[in-house]
Amino acid sequence: MHKPTDEQAAAADRFHSGDHLVLQAGAGTGKTTTLALLASGTRRRGRYLAYNRAIATDAATRFPDTVVCKTGHALAFAALGHRYKTRLNGPRQSGWKTGLALGINKPVRIGQREVFPRTLSHAALQTVTHYCHSADRTLTRHHVPRLRGIEADELHAELAATVLPFARKAWADLQHPDDGVVRFDHDHYLKIWALAEPKIEADFLLLDEAQDTNPVVEQIFTAQRAHAQLVMVGDSAQAIYGWRGARDVMTCFDGTALTLSRSFRFGPHLAREANRWLAIAGAPIRLDGSESISTEVGAVDHPQAVLCRSNVGAMAEVLKLLGDDRKVALAGGGAALAALAHAARDLKDGRRTAHPELVLFQTWGELQDYAGHDPSGGDLLPLVELVDEHGTEAILTAVDRLVEETHADVTVSTAHKAKGREWSQVKISEDFHPPKDSDECDENGLPVPGPIDEAEARLAYVAVTRARHCLDLGGLSWIHHHPAGAQQ
């Protein structure tokens, strides 16, 4: 290991003093290396809680033998999840078949839309999933997902009244270790373990990627405070998964707050770009780039990676690059895009689709109208425009032409899927649009740009900090002309 920075040494000092710590670690600042430094300086027994299995496996090679590196799911499985092993190996089945077994056998009318058993079944199972990700002890209406076309509060209340009894029946079914009608998965035994208020036998706990922790894992972690020293590490500015239940637990954690601000990934030029977005996001940290690394911000003709804001933006980028005869990989594969294209084809052919995003629409025209005119449907407009311009067959053909990353000229990724990764040369896609203009005008009579949403700023920060040597700002270049960015 290189000589610890002053920040890393300070973290080690506070750790050995017994403080509970919350460590804000910016992009590329060596958070895992720092945690290994803390653990190597003591013979006490520790647990490292990783975000996923791959991170846990890598961490196990970097920590001393006194630290066990596991995911929360792995701890839960060892404690009681193994009792449900036979159900975990159960066959997959369609959600509507599970719903039928739970008694969902007829449609209901909510507002102007008829919700069929297939959709009700999916909503009931999603309700259980949301409950399992939460710290709540009971299932309530706020766990019921909001469906496209019936998002309004009064309509959601009607949906919840229909769905909740079946969700509660599904959760009761999942309590049986040996058999049941609902397919048992890993989030189920994690929730059952959390409800049992477990005690993790360790002298200290290290929680990685704390900014994206599900409330259920936060609950388990913080409950160990009475007998274990707690250290959480992450980057609040990379909290980009709130839409799926994660929340940044770092900002309200009761512990000594420290930072890691020296990035070992990129140089000062890129650090300045990152700091624009950190300021806009209200982040508690600013980055310093490594003087020994040359990172330029400018045009890149042949990037190793193109980062997009959305799946639809990624599909548009794939079509463009394939048209230039490039060998293209898509981070995470093309299954999600293919599913959207198949759903769009069903609607265009006059068939309803089971895709959860489009399930309540009967025709393509209805979806076009919703995306173009309903305030709740604006995020579907790029999909509609992409399909209308290229057609579903062109999209499906493009998915079939994708190659593995090891054989690609360029990797296309959403910013979400790029999190935790890095490339030498990165270009930002054009689907990162500036905010709409406000109703105000400046002294020249020109519209004043509207404020930048903090969640959008965090996503932009993740995107620009993936590059090591060259960053093409592309679709984020507008930040230099926006008042919030120009001031930095």
Side-chain angles (χ1 to χ4, degrees):
M1 178 181 172
H2 60 78
K3 180 183 177 181
T5 65
D6 290 344
E7 290 175 323
Q8 290 172 326
D13 288 343
R14 301 314 306 165
F15 175 74
H16 296 310
S17 296
D19 290 14
H20 298 298
L21 300 179
V22 54
L23 190 57
Q24 289 281 354
T29 57
K31 61 183 176 62
T32 305
T33 300
T34 303
L35 291 179
L37 170 68
L38 305 187
S40 298
T42 180
R43 294 304 301 169
R44 293 181 297 154
R45 297 170 305 130
R47 295 271 191 171
Y48 168 87
L49 298 183
Y51 185 71
N52 58 41
R53 184 186 299 178
I55 294 174
T57 301
D58 176 68
T61 67
R62 305 170 69 177
F63 280 86
D65 293 340
T66 51
V67 178
V68 176
C69 301
K70 298 286 186 181
T71 63
H73 285 90
L75 292 179
F77 184 83
L80 60 76
H82 62 276
R83 303 174 191 170
Y84 299 84
K85 190 173 183 179
T86 55
R87 290 195 67 173
L88 276 169
N89 294 327
R92 293 184 179 274
Q93 69 173 351
S94 299
W96 69 267
K97 289 185 178 179
T98 302
L100 187 62
L102 293 171
I104 302 175
N105 53 25
K106 59 183 179 181
V108 297
R109 187 119 189 133
I110 298 179
Q112 300 299 312
R113 300 191 185 276
E114 193 168 20
V115 186
F116 288 92
R118 184 186 297 269
T119 304
L120 293 173
S121 301
H122 176 79
L125 296 176
Q126 277 294 104
T127 299
V128 173
T129 297
H130 292 168
Y131 168 63
C132 288
H133 291 167
S134 77
D136 303 325
R137 297 199 67 85
T138 57
L139 272 161
T140 62
R141 60 176 284 184
H142 78 267
H143 298 122
V144 178
R146 292 184 182 265
L147 301 183
R148 294 278 191 182
I150 53 172
E151 298 97 332
D153 289 345
E154 65 276 12
L155 298 179
H156 181 258
E158 290 184 45
L159 176 68
T162 300
V163 166
L164 269 177
F166 296 112
R168 289 172 178 145
K169 189 174 181 180
W171 181 244
D173 174 273
L174 290 165
Q175 307 309 301
H176 303 292
D178 298 320
D179 57 65
V181 299
V182 181
R183 190 172 191 271
F184 197 93
D185 69 30
H186 299 278
D187 284 342
H188 297 144
Y189 66 71
L190 178 64
K191 181 65 174 180
I192 294 171
W193 186 52
L195 291 172
E197 300 181 354
K199 178 180 179 180
I200 300 175
E201 296 295 341
D203 299 315
F204 63 88
L205 295 177
L206 310 173
L207 177 64
D208 201 358
E209 297 289 348
Q211 80 283 346
D212 285 326
T213 299
N214 281 336
V216 66
V217 176
E218 175 200 2
Q219 176 192 45
I220 294 167
F221 177 78
T222 56
Q224 314 305 312
R225 179 184 284 268
H227 71 276
Q229 183 184 11
L230 304 183
V231 178
M232 58 170 57
V233 62
D235 185 354
S236 289
Q238 294 192 52
I240 58 175
Y241 287 108
W243 53 274
R244 71 179 191 191
R247 75 186 193 96
D248 178 15
V249 303
M250 302 182 69
T251 53
C252 57
F253 181 71
D254 182 15
T256 300
L258 298 171
T259 60
L260 297 178
S261 61
R262 170 60 57 84
S263 179
F264 301 101
R265 178 179 298 159
F266 43 74
H269 288 171
L270 198 147
R272 282 196 290 272
E273 292 300 326
N275 287 337
R276 294 180 198 276
W277 298 105
L278 288 171
I280 295 167
I285 192 173
R286 299 293 182 271
L287 293 179
D288 293 317
S290 293
E291 295 288 348
S292 60
I293 302 176
S294 175
T295 307
E296 299 300 323
V297 179
V300 177
D301 293 329
H302 299 291
Q304 290 181 334
V306 177
L307 305 186
C308 309
R309 188 194 174 282
S310 67
N311 281 323
V312 176
M315 188 69 254
E317 200 67 49
V318 166
L319 289 167
K320 176 183 175 183
L321 290 166
L322 288 174
D324 292 338
D325 204 26
R326 307 289 300 280
K327 290 186 289 186
V328 183
L330 183 65
L337 294 174
L340 274 172
H342 282 296
R345 184 170 65 182
D346 286 342
L347 290 175
K348 288 176 73 70
D349 290 345
R351 299 187 300 271
R352 297 192 72 137
T353 175
H355 194 287
E357 282 290 294
L358 310 179
V359 69
L360 291 184
F361 301 100
Q362 298 185 51
T363 66
W364 183 250
E366 187 179 343
L367 176 59
Q368 288 174 313
D369 183 67
Y370 175 80
H373 301 102
D374 192 303
S376 300
D379 61 322
L380 288 175
L381 187 58
L383 169 66
V384 170
E385 292 175 340
L386 185 72
V387 170
D388 285 342
E389 179 179 355
H390 296 281
T392 57
E393 294 309 315
I395 296 173
L396 291 170
T397 298
V399 170
D400 288 340
R401 290 179 60 191
L402 294 171
V403 301
E404 297 293 329
E405 289 193 45
T406 52
H407 300 108
D409 298 323
V410 58
T411 295
V412 175
S413 176
T414 62
H416 286 93
K417 288 189 175 69
K419 188 166 171 287
R421 302 188 62 182
E422 59 183 58
W423 293 270
S424 177
Q425 297 183 322
V426 172
K427 183 174 183 178
I428 307 298
S429 174
E430 296 298 329
D431 70 334
F432 281 89
H433 302 297
K436 294 180 179 179
D437 291 337
S438 68
D439 295 330
E440 302 178 13
C441 293
D442 62 18
E443 62 275 11
N444 298 316
L446 299 175
V448 174
I452 300 171
D453 181 76
E454 285 190 10
E456 294 296 322
R458 291 194 297 270
L459 192 63
Y461 163 69
V462 170
V464 302
T465 54
R466 300 308 96 195
R468 293 193 302 270
H469 297 119
C470 195
L471 170 70
D472 187 334
L473 278 172
L476 286 173
S477 297
W478 55 264
I479 190 59
H480 290 173
H481 309 290
H482 190 283
Q487 294 171 4
Q488 306 307 316

